[in-house]
Amino acid sequence: MIVVTGATGNVGRPLVRALAAAGEAVTAVSRRVSAAELPSGVRAVRADLAEPTGLKAAFDGAEALFLLFTGEQLTGGADPGAILDTARQSGVRRVVLLSSQGVATKRHPPGQETAVRASGLEWTVLRPGGFHSNALAWAPGVRAGRVVHAPFGDVALPSVDPADIAEVAALALRDGRHAGGTYELTGPAAVSPRERAAALAAALGEPVRFVEQTPRQAREQLLAFMPEPVVAATLSILGTPSPAEQRVSPDVARLLGRAPRSFADWAARHVADFR
């Protein structure tokens, strides 16, 4: 059995589908998950990573674990070491951690990765940059007025499709040959916010206006749903990315045997969210 935490999120949802389609027994863990929204045969367990004692029922009988922490869980007291101890004591042998490219570039703390490497389990670390799906934050403005507000309009970064992250995670969860691997996951090209707005316009078949925010305006908006340190790191990456953060990684293509999906492809598949 494979346990997927964050099972209702942008990565967890397609990961659960991919594993179930491959014939794996899957337990989907989230604070608000229900069996009705999952593929047939997938077990739903409501649990919070900030309370690891409640995870034992989800972990019992599992061989592999996909571990994903939200910023809210980490600031709310989630302890990666305690969660991994519970997993190991329950019989889990393999863990795949969804980390961040920011660990490699020193933008984000390495605590989760350190805990995984010290866990005594077989481990694989995935380090994506930004997600294509971050553009869903633009959906209300696009629906209401066909407008995108974003800072740093012409700074390009190679964001990645969550579906590609899910495919790589499924591979690592099912195949022990990826133990000890650390993979950087990006899309096929660096794309700017202005270019993303144009891709949404093409998907919609209608013009979408791009309005560049000041860093201060962006900061105020992000503070509504992110802690201040995360906001500061995010704006730093968006505004002054390092060469490493702008580099396209070969890992998705090498692991999946195909090119990573582009932002334009993601926009076409999710255009209903913007209509």
Side-chain angles (χ1 to χ4, degrees):
M1 184 177 70
I2 298 173
V3 175
V4 177
T5 64
T8 57
N10 289 320
V11 175
R13 195 178 298 275
L15 175 56
V16 167
R17 289 198 299 262
L19 292 170
E24 298 288 349
V26 181
T27 294
V29 177
S30 176
R31 286 174 294 181
R32 291 177 287 274
V33 69
S34 68
E37 61 186 311
L38 298 171
S40 176
V42 173
R43 182 171 68 123
V45 174
R46 292 190 179 186
D48 191 334
L49 293 184
E51 300 175 6
T53 55
L55 293 168
K56 192 175 186 310
F59 291 165
D60 279 344
E63 296 182 356
L65 167 65
F66 177 72
L67 191 55
L68 180 162
F69 293 96
T70 66
E72 180 184 356
Q73 286 167 338
L74 290 171
T75 57
D79 181 346
I83 291 166
L84 290 161
D85 285 345
T86 300
R88 187 179 61 254
Q89 292 162 11
S90 300
V92 172
R93 296 184 298 105
R94 179 180 304 149
V95 59
V96 175
L97 173 70
L98 186 64
S99 181
S100 166
Q101 183 191 57
V103 175
T105 59
K106 314 301 183 187
R107 304 270 195 178
H108 298 146
Q112 298 172 52
E113 292 192 13
T114 301
V116 162
R117 290 187 172 94
S119 67
L121 303 173
E122 295 180 11
W123 56 264
T124 306
V125 171
L126 309 183
R127 289 176 172 172
F131 292 6
H132 292 344
S133 56
N134 291 348
L136 289 171
W138 298 343
V142 175
R143 287 195 300 265
R146 294 295 188 257
V147 61
V148 165
H149 293 87
F152 314 116
D154 297 305
V155 178
L157 290 165
S159 63
V160 63
D161 195 318
D164 285 347
I165 302 172
E167 284 192 40
V168 172
L171 190 68
L173 286 162
R174 301 181 70 212
D175 189 342
R177 289 176 295 179
H178 296 282
T182 299
Y183 302 130
E184 183 179 356
L185 309 181
T186 74
V191 184
S192 71
R194 197 182 306 274
E195 290 168 331
R196 290 186 179 94
L200 288 171
L204 288 163
E206 299 179 30
V208 173
R209 187 165 54 97
F210 182 82
V211 177
E212 186 161 358
Q213 292 176 312
T214 66
R216 180 175 179 177
Q217 289 170 330
R219 180 179 182 277
E220 291 174 354
Q221 182 176 337
L222 292 173
L223 283 172
F225 57 92
M226 286 184 185
E228 197 282 331
V230 177
V231 170
T234 298
L235 290 177
S236 182
I237 294 168
L238 295 177
T240 55
S242 68
E245 289 160 343
Q246 292 183 298
R247 183 179 62 232
V248 172
S249 168
D251 285 352
V252 170
R254 180 171 59 83
L255 292 164
L256 300 183
R258 60 163 178 80
R261 297 175 176 97
S262 67
F263 180 82
D265 177 83
W266 179 90
R269 294 187 348 256
H270 292 269
V271 67
D273 293 313
F274 296 88
R275 289 206 183 280

